[in-house]
Amino acid sequence: MRALLRTLVERLASLRITVVLLVLAMVLVVIATLDQVHLGIWAVQAKYFRSFVVVQQLPGTGVSIPFFPGGYLIGGALLINLLCAQFLRFTLTWRNLGLHFTHFGIILLLVGELLTGLLAVESHLTLDTGDTKNYAEASFERELAVIDVTDPAFDQVWAVPLSRLSRREPIALPGCPLTLLPLQFHENANFFMRRDAPNAPASPATLGFGPAVVVQPAEPTYRPNEENAPTAFVEFRGPDGPVGVMLATLAIERPQTFTAAGRTYAVVLRRTRIYFDFSLSLLEFRHDKYPGTEIPRNFSSRVRLRSAEGAEDRQVRIYMNNPLRHGGYTFYQSGFKNNDRTTILQVVRNPGWLLPYIACVISGLGLLYHFILTLAGFLQRRRATAATTA
Amino acid sequence: MISLRAPRSVGATIAALALVLAGCREEPVRTYRTSKETLPPTEMPPAPTAGGELPAGHPPLDGSAAPAPNSGDTAALPPGHPPIGGGAMPAPGAAPASAPDAANDSISWAAPDHWVAKPLGAMRRGSFTAKNTAGEADCSIFVFPAASNPLLANINRWRGQVGLAPLTEAQLAAETTAVENAAGLKFVTVELLGQTGAGSTRVLGAILYRGEEAWFFKLSGPDAVVAAEKPAFLDFLRTVHPANS
């Protein structure tokens, strides 16, 4: 067993694997860079680097196949390779201490990127003056929220990620008598009022405003300043059979309601919500300018932070380079609109944000130590040579 | 010397891992309980069309909210809805446009004396009926996020409303005119003549990009009416100025 483990570690520590993985990484970077023309930077990042496998749809078919290892797989394999090599060749001497530090720094860097990719969430919180919210809206992720609004005290929410809607497979909602069956899904679409397009085919929708709207699928946009309008026709099925079909789209981000099995449900396709255990209220947004000019001097938001249990209630000023850090989230002043009445805060949660800094410091110290050691050896040898020559 | 031939087991391991991980990507349905929100309405207004049901604040879709035939546009859309046919959406973080609040708009204007102001409806920031001896035309003013409202898509949206074929980016410059008024506001104007169900229809449109906002001024109606109102429309554009100036 021990011999088997050693053989496995030796195999995994192979320099051949390192080279193969580095080549794969380089190829991945090239392919991803070329595909950036079609997908834009965010989609490329998700498809090629923040994935275990790059999945590609075969042209002209709906079939997707994994065709290349993704960034996580290559990075993860490199990490294992490096760890095995360290484990196999580890000897602690003053001479190789710097190299150990450097390698440890690289390992930490790889782990940090993995943690960032897996755990970091970027979202936005848009607040009008006087508004209070206890959630942010994800910058890139969308969800179909099915909300049981029957109870007067609270809402019960089932949030279905869009990736589930793109497959025509029934989706069960835990603890809910309803089942969803996605009939159609479009990454982007245009909309027309049916009265403007009287000859358009009948809508599959039978509930909500869907029957009055004509959906025209559109090519997804990848421009950084535009956003797709993901759209789906979803059939709801209750215990007694089909309830109806609803059109849900980010372009009309308004809840539509229906009643089934004695309960009332609201359905909306929206930006994925990230709830906090505290709330923020915008008390004042300031857009200061230099006197007599239109040149901005400062953007700031004065917010009131209240924890859910009431233990905390304080005012905070968020401005450029002075974010609010609370509950694992960082709130940056990101933008404003609506004639300076609305503030936009970028909300970032990244549990691994410190790791790259620590990794760079450790690697830097390791390299510095190794350099000094080598330099000292070199100078010693030179002095010895000079003494011998003299 | 290093051989670049990877051991067979390595390739097999990577392929197996790839297949396994590819099959493990199903995201779960999140379930949680929240306090009641004021937004989700539990009761909907009766639908104006067969089987239809509109969200709260959504104007009727049967055209009753549209002030004039072919004015089309977004008059019948809920707050936050981009112009229909545009396809683009506000960029992340961009909130939907709020209900009309002309008093707080960043620009102001003075309509010609013979134009009659109308109720704003759900989305309009300005709404007028232009009357002359030939009949009536509708003038609408909308504002949407500039980032999600590219010029070409909106010009083509207007063209589509009068049955004209869409333009390409290369054709755009030849089909539009840049107009700058005394307040330094730069409009891109377009004049379209086409056929709709109501007959020969003319559209005079002007788009003003100002910071994060895209302002849409549109006069549309029967050909003869709009053609006669063209000088008044151009005069109207000259009166548009920043609200605080």
Side-chain angles (χ1 to χ4, degrees):
Chain A
M1 184 66 193
R2 206 163 187 177
L4 189 72
L5 193 70
R6 181 155 188 95
T7 312
L8 183 70
V9 172
E10 275 174 2
R11 282 277 180 105
L12 289 173
S14 161
L15 197 58
R16 288 174 182 169
I17 295 183
T18 316
V19 174
V20 169
L21 289 171
L22 288 176
V23 170
L24 285 175
M26 284 190 280
V27 174
L28 184 73
V29 169
V30 172
I31 301 173
T33 307
L34 293 176
D35 207 15
Q36 200 171 316
V37 178
H38 308 109
L39 297 183
I41 188 162
W42 299 111
V44 155
Q45 218 173 67
K47 180 179 174 183
Y48 290 91
F49 302 116
R50 294 196 163 156
S51 63
F52 287 97
V53 182
V54 182
V55 178
Q56 184 69 41
Q57 196 173 54
L58 293 175
T61 68
V63 182
S64 296
I65 54 159
F67 89 106
F68 207 81
Y72 284 158
L73 194 57
I74 295 175
L78 269 173
L79 179 64
I80 293 169
N81 180 248
L82 189 58
L83 283 172
C84 288
Q86 280 289 97
F87 174 74
L88 213 62
R89 294 157 201 153
F90 187 81
T91 48
L92 191 58
T93 62
W94 287 109
R95 191 153 191 80
N96 59 19
L97 193 65
L99 290 178
H100 286 316
F101 264 73
T102 308
H103 280 138
F104 180 66
I106 294 171
I107 289 168
L108 215 55
L109 204 60
L110 287 167
V111 171
E113 167 52 23
L114 183 71
L115 284 181
T116 299
L118 291 177
L119 304 177
V121 179
E122 195 181 301
S123 52
H124 285 88
L125 174 56
T126 305
L127 281 172
D128 290 332
T129 306
D131 262 9
T132 299
K133 280 184 184 171
N134 65 342
Y135 63 86
E137 294 173 307
S139 303
F140 305 111
E141 292 79 27
R142 311 286 176 254
E143 66 186 13
L144 180 78
V146 180
I147 310 162
D148 183 343
V149 296
T150 315
D151 197 300
F154 62 87
D155 290 340
Q156 182 71 37
V157 183
W158 291 270
V160 182
L162 280 203
S163 60
R164 300 285 295 274
L165 296 185
S166 57
R167 304 175 204 169
R168 290 187 181 180
E169 292 170 8
I171 303 166
L173 306 179
C176 177
L178 297 179
T179 303
L180 276 61
L181 180 64
L183 301 179
Q184 285 182 33
F185 177 76
H186 309 292
E187 278 187 60
N188 194 16
N190 292 328
F191 302 89
F192 300 92
M193 291 301 142
R194 187 157 291 280
R195 67 161 193 270
D196 292 337
N199 298 326
S203 170
T206 55
L207 300 168
F209 53 69
V213 177
V214 177
V215 176
Q216 188 183 54
E219 283 297 311
T221 175
Y222 296 105
R223 294 183 183 177
N225 55 353
E226 286 182 5
E227 190 179 14
N228 289 313
T231 299
F233 284 99
V234 181
E235 183 178 80
F236 289 87
R237 292 178 177 175
D240 305 323
V243 176
V245 177
M246 190 172 273
L247 164 68
T249 172
L250 190 68
I252 309 176
E253 204 179 333
R254 285 274 162 168
Q256 306 171 74
T257 58
F258 66 91
T259 304
R263 303 195 69 83
T264 305
Y265 296 92
V267 178
V268 60
L269 198 157
R270 64 190 187 189
R271 293 169 178 84
T272 299
R273 287 189 180 183
I274 299 148
Y275 281 88
F276 317 129
D277 57 358
F278 55 90
S279 66
L280 289 178
S281 312
L282 178 64
L283 302 176
E284 182 191 27
F285 176 75
R286 287 185 66 88
H287 175 184
D288 302 325
K289 298 170 187 168
Y290 286 100
T293 72
E294 287 296 306
I295 301 168
R297 193 180 66 179
N298 182 44
F299 304 110
S300 65
S301 301
R302 192 160 58 85
V303 297
R304 182 178 175 186
L305 189 160
R306 276 172 288 188
S307 58
E309 71 279 6
E312 200 165 5
D313 188 350
R314 61 187 167 102
Q315 287 191 22
V316 187
R317 194 163 155 260
I318 302 169
Y319 55 97
M320 288 295 184
N321 300 323
N322 190 57
L324 160 68
R325 292 183 197 278
H326 186 78
Y329 295 91
T330 310
F331 297 80
Y332 298 92
Q333 182 64 57
S334 165
F336 63 95
K337 62 197 312 186
N338 213 9
N339 261 352
D340 295 353
R341 294 195 307 274
T342 304
T343 189
I344 302 171
L345 302 174
Q346 187 188 27
V347 188
V348 178
R349 179 177 195 147
N350 182 8
W353 70 280
L354 264 178
L355 281 183
Y357 298 100
I358 298 169
C360 287
V361 169
I362 291 174
S363 284
L365 287 176
L367 286 170
L368 189 67
Y369 177 85
H370 194 71
F371 172 73
I372 290 170
L373 209 68
T374 311
L375 183 68
F378 168 75
L379 291 175
Q380 211 169 18
R381 277 198 304 278
R382 199 167 72 163
R383 265 202 300 272
T385 312
T388 313
T389 313
Chain B
M1 194 175 132
I2 299 167
S3 162
L4 286 180
R5 196 167 60 84
R8 211 178 299 162
S9 58
V10 175
T13 309
I14 290 177
L17 260 175
L19 285 171
V20 168
L21 292 168
C24 297
R25 298 182 68 186
E26 186 168 279
E27 293 179 77
V29 174
R30 288 190 303 145
T31 309
Y32 52 85
R33 188 173 283 190
T34 65
S35 52
K36 296 296 279 188
E37 268 188 55
T38 49
L39 255 181
T42 53
E43 287 178 15
M44 291 297 204
T49 52
E53 193 180 65
L54 297 175
H58 197 303
L61 292 173
D62 61 355
S64 59
N70 307 317
S71 61
D73 269 324
T74 47
L77 297 177
H81 195 297
I84 51 173
M89 290 284 298
S98 56
D101 187 6
N104 288 313
D105 280 338
S106 65
I107 59 170
S108 300
W109 49 79
D113 291 341
H114 67 284
W115 287 12
V116 181
K118 294 188 291 195
L120 292 181
M123 295 295 290
R124 294 190 175 208
R125 312 305 266 235
S127 186
F128 303 95
T129 299
K131 283 185 184 173
N132 59 35
T133 51
E136 292 183 5
D138 172 61
C139 178
S140 62
I141 303 168
F142 292 92
V143 61
F144 289 102
S148 56
N149 280 281
L151 182 67
L152 181 63
N154 281 286
I155 298 287
N156 282 338
R157 180 169 56 84
W158 281 343
R159 289 178 67 86
Q161 287 168 4
V162 290
L164 298 178
L167 298 176
T168 63
E169 195 81 48
Q171 295 169 311
L172 188 61
E175 297 290 330
T176 56
T177 310
V179 174
E180 183 171 356
N181 70 11
L185 300 179
K186 293 173 184 170
F187 300 84
V188 177
T189 63
V190 67
E191 183 167 3
L192 310 169
L193 179 61
Q195 291 295 322
T196 66
S200 185
T201 302
R202 186 178 290 270
V203 170
L204 297 174
I207 300 176
L208 165 68
Y209 288 100
R210 189 162 185 270
E212 291 186 334
E213 297 174 340
W215 287 85
F216 297 86
F217 302 81
K218 184 178 148 199
L219 180 68
S220 64
D223 178 18
V225 185
V226 177
E229 288 298 319
K230 186 175 176 180
F233 182 73
L234 294 176
D235 281 345
F236 170 61
L237 293 183
R238 288 186 192 103
T239 69
V240 181
H241 60 278
N244 53 7
S245 69

